[in-house]
Amino acid sequence: MEKIGLYVHIPFCKKKCFYCDFVAYPNLENRIDSYFDNLYKEIDLYQKNISVDIDSIYIGGGTPSYVDYKYIEKLVEKLKNFKVKNLKEFTIESNPNSLTLDKLKKYRELGIDRISLGVQSFDDKVLKNVGRDHSKEIILNDIKNIRKVGFKNLSLDMILNLPGGDFNVVKKDLELIKEIKPEHISYYSLILEKGSYFYTLYKKRKLKLMDDDLERGIFLYIEKQLKDLGLFRYEISNFSKKGFESYHNKKYWSEGGYLALGLGASGFLSNIRYSNVRNFIKYENLINSGKFPIETKEFISKSEREKEYIIFKLRECEGINLKEFEEIFGYSLLNKYSKIVDKYYNLGFFNIGKSLSFTHKGFDLSNEFYLEII
Ligand SMILES: C[S@@+](CC[C@H](N)C(=O)[O-])C[C@H]1O[C@@H](n2cnc3c(N)ncnc32)[C@H](O)[C@@H]1O
Ligand code: SF4
C-alpha cells in the first residue's frame, strides 16, 4: 500500500500577524478544549472508515506550540491508531515565545523529530512591524533549548520583503543563520494575502515594499550565502543540508497523497482533493453528526493530475524526471508538450537532460510558463 503523509491543523495563535491569512485565530482560548475533542472525533471517524499507511506527520497551524502540551499528547496517542510504523519525519510548527524546555522534552518523548520554527526575521524592528510577539533574544533562547533537548532537525521560516527588512537586515539575518546552523530553511517572499491587515494597508498605499527586481536580487544573494553554509535550494522557497529536504512537504509537491485533519485543512486522497470547513460551529456540528467535516471536494482527472504534477515537480530544483513521468503517465513529456517546452527552452527557462528543470530565469518567471500550460 502506498504510504501517505498526515497533516493536522491547529488553528490557534497568541496574536495575528499582519501578513497572515491562514486559518489561525487569536483570543480563542475558550474554544481550544472543545476543538481538540472534535479533532479527536474526526480522527476516530477516519480510523473507522479508511485504512492508510502513514510515514510522515506534520502538526501545523496556526501555532501548535501555543496550546497546552496535554492536547498534543492526546492527539499523538490517537494518531498512533493509524498505521504509523517507521515514520520518516514528524514535525511540529512552533512560534518563538511559546516553547518551554519542558514542552520541548515532551515533544521529543512523543517521537516528534523536527521543529519548524517561525522566525521571519531576527530584526526586532521588523518583528514589531509585522505584529510578531517575540524578539531576537527570545528566538535565540528558544533555539538554544531546541538543541539542548536534542532536536537534530531544525527548520526556520523566514520571510523576505517584510516592511523594514532591507538588504542590511537580510545580511544580519544571514550572519545569525550562519551561527545557528539550521538543517532546513524556508525563505518565502511576502505574499499580500487578501484577508490580511497588510493587504488593507497596501490598498491604502500605506505599505512600502521593495520592487520586484530588488527582491529578486536579494533572493539570489540569499541563495548564494545559504549555499556557502551548506544549505542547498531544493525547491522554489526551500533550502536544506543534504538529506534534510522535507520528506513530508515533498508529498505536497509530488503525486503522493496526504490526509488532512482539522479546521480548514486541505488533503488529497484517491484522486480527490478536499478542504475542511473553516467555521468552528460547522466543524463541530458535522463531526457530532458522524460526518466528515468536508466543505469542498473535487475529483482530479488524469489530465489535471498530469498538469499538477508538472507544476509541482517544477517547483523542485531537480525538476521532472522524464523517465518517471513516462512510467506514471504512459508517454513522453517532451513529445506531448514539445511545442511549449521548445518555446520556453529557447527563452532560457529550462535545463533538459534526464530531467526537465527550471533555470534561475525559469524560476523567476515561472508564472508565465504556468499560465500557458494550465
Ligand atoms: C502559517 S505559519 C504557521 C507557523 C507559525 N504560526 C509561524 O508563524 O511560524 C507558517 C509560515 O507561513 C509563512 N507565511 C504566512 N503568511 C505568509 C505570507 N503572507 N507571505 C509569506 N509567508 C507567509 C510564515 O513564514 C510562517 O512561518
Ligand atoms: S504567521 Fe503563524 S503566528 Fe502569525 S498569525 Fe499566521 S499562523 Fe499565527
Side-chain angles (χ1 to χ4, degrees), residues 75-107:
L75 170 67
V76 175
E77 242 169 57
K78 305 264 322 166
L79 294 180
K80 284 187 176 157
N81 293 329
F82 281 115
K83 284 191 219 149
V84 284
K85 272 195 206 138
N86 303 323
L87 271 188
K88 293 227 165 55
E89 196 176 275
F90 189 171
T91 303
I92 189 158
E93 265 184 333
S94 314
N95 272 33
N97 221 2
S98 64
L99 289 166
T100 59
L101 250 184
D102 194 38
K103 226 181 221 181
L104 285 162
K105 275 187 203 149
K106 286 173 167 166
Y107 288 165

Side-chain angles (χ1 to χ4, degrees), residues 37-50:
D37 276 346
N38 293 325
L39 182 61
Y40 303 148
K41 287 183 196 159
E42 188 187 3
I43 296 171
D44 291 341
L45 201 56
Y46 274 97
Q47 285 171 350
K48 262 191 229 139
N49 286 284
I50 62 166

